[in-house]
Amino acid sequence: MVRLNVNIDHIATIRQARRAQEPSVITAAVIADLAGADGITVHLRGDRRHIQDRDVRLLREIVKTHLNLEMAPTEEMLRIASEIKPDAVTLVPERPDEITTEGGLDVLSRPGQLGEAVKRLKSAGVLASVFIDPLPGQIQSATDAGAQQVEICTSRYASLTEPGSHAAAGEIDEELLRIKECAALAGGNGLQVAAGHGLTYRNVRRVAEIDYVEELNIGHNIVARAAILGLERAVAEMVAAVAGRSFSQGR
Ligand code: PXP
């Protein structure tokens, strides 16, 4: 069975919108765990727009399954990762003005810098993963840089399968084939293979079925669905609170 890491960045996005205490990423991690998630993923961005350093520290204490930290390969982040020691670090590219990670790291054009980052993570006892586009050259460079895992970027597949995308079935199949071939190449090179970005309840299955893909990282669509599915209960509880009736004070 493919493992699911739940990315809880957007729980923190809601919290940071008010610099408030709720919703708690710690509670979110516990709920994800109870619901059957195999791990938790968070992205500590340079601009700290959602996840904060303290969140990563607290998560390290409570997540006993698998904690995957996404981060840019900067000196600051490598220092934090070496100190906190998540189970895995996924190195991602980062631009301050991007809305979300826009694609994989270009390992081909800077193998030296990446090799150094991978070395530091491994010597801290952290599994070194690299987020890359489904291109054979990138897989080979990540292998040469010593990465232990690659996470294949599924964002092109995701946008082709979005409702209303008008992509031809053949175009979607072609993108899936690229992902499959890269997963096989990475697996054949002895790397662990993960995949993620833009996956939804509608499009996840075809990626989960790919040979060698062992792990998926999914965030936005889960948090989006949680907001909608939880809204009715949340409003009913506020109606009860306004009326002075009891409501669950748990979370
Ligand atoms: N994998 C990586 C490397 C990412 O940067 C992200 C977004 O933080 C994800 C997976 C999850 O993407 P989504 O939120 O679209 O499910």
Side-chain angles (χ1 to χ4, degrees):
M1 264 285 273
V2 180
R3 298 186 302 272
L4 171 66
N5 292 340
V6 177
N7 181 317
I8 55 174
D9 289 350
H10 295 310
I11 298 290
T13 301
I14 299 172
R15 181 193 63 193
Q16 294 308 110
R18 285 291 179 90
R19 306 281 188 276
Q21 305 213 17
E22 295 174 69
S24 155
V25 293
I26 303 304
T27 309
V30 171
I31 291 173
D33 183 44
L34 289 172
D38 299 289
I40 296 295
T41 294
V42 288
H43 184 170
L44 186 65
R45 300 187 70 101
D47 62 10
R48 306 300 196 271
R49 69 172 76 155
H50 40 54
I51 294 293
Q52 306 296 303
D53 300 50
R54 178 173 180 268
D55 295 327
V56 186
R57 286 203 176 82
L58 293 175
L59 286 168
R60 176 61 300 178
E61 297 208 1
I62 65 133
V63 174
K64 299 298 175 205
T65 49
H66 183 78
L67 179 63
N68 172 35
L69 175 63
E70 291 174 6
M71 56 177 231
T74 61
E75 178 55 36
E76 179 198 21
M77 291 298 158
L78 287 167
R79 224 179 315 111
I80 292 171
S82 304
E83 185 202 320
I84 298 181
K85 299 188 194 300
D87 297 293
V89 158
T90 302
L91 296 171
V92 298
E94 202 173 287
R95 275 198 311 111
D97 53 344
E98 69 191 1
I99 291 173
T100 179
T101 312
E102 288 172 341
L105 257 184
D106 183 5
V107 196
L108 257 174
S109 72
R110 44 179 185 163
Q113 189 201 358
L114 220 84
E116 188 50 39
V118 163
K119 200 151 87 189
R120 281 181 60 183
L121 293 170
K122 284 159 85 173
S123 69
V126 177
L127 182 104
S129 178
V130 185
F131 185 54
I132 46 176
D133 291 328
L135 297 167
Q138 297 290 354
I139 302 278
Q140 200 48 54
S141 297
T143 309
D144 296 343
Q148 294 154 299
Q149 174 174 287
V150 285
E151 178 177 341
I152 299 176
C153 178
T154 52
S155 60
R156 181 157 190 274
Y157 164 74
S159 59
L160 290 172
T161 54
E162 244 171 43
S165 103
H166 304 301
E171 218 182 329
I172 297 170
D173 291 347
E174 232 171 73
E175 182 62 16
L176 270 174
L177 186 62
R178 288 199 320 144
I179 298 171
K180 277 182 197 165
E181 287 175 352
C182 285
L185 176 60
N189 283 353
L191 272 66
Q192 296 181 48
V193 182
H197 209 277
L199 295 177
T200 69
Y201 294 83
R202 289 178 298 273
N203 67 19
V204 68
R205 186 63 200 149
R206 293 186 78 188
V207 176
E209 284 173 342
I210 295 175
D211 281 348
Y212 293 101
V213 171
E214 299 167 61
E215 180 182 288
L216 298 174
N217 287 290
I218 308 181
H220 181 269
N221 203 233
I222 295 174
V223 176
R225 191 170 173 86
I228 292 302
L229 292 183
L231 192 58
E232 185 178 353
R233 176 170 168 188
V235 172
E237 289 192 354
M238 185 58 85
V239 169
V242 169
R245 293 195 304 271
S246 71
F247 64 98
S248 100
Q249 301 213 25
R251 297 154 187 166

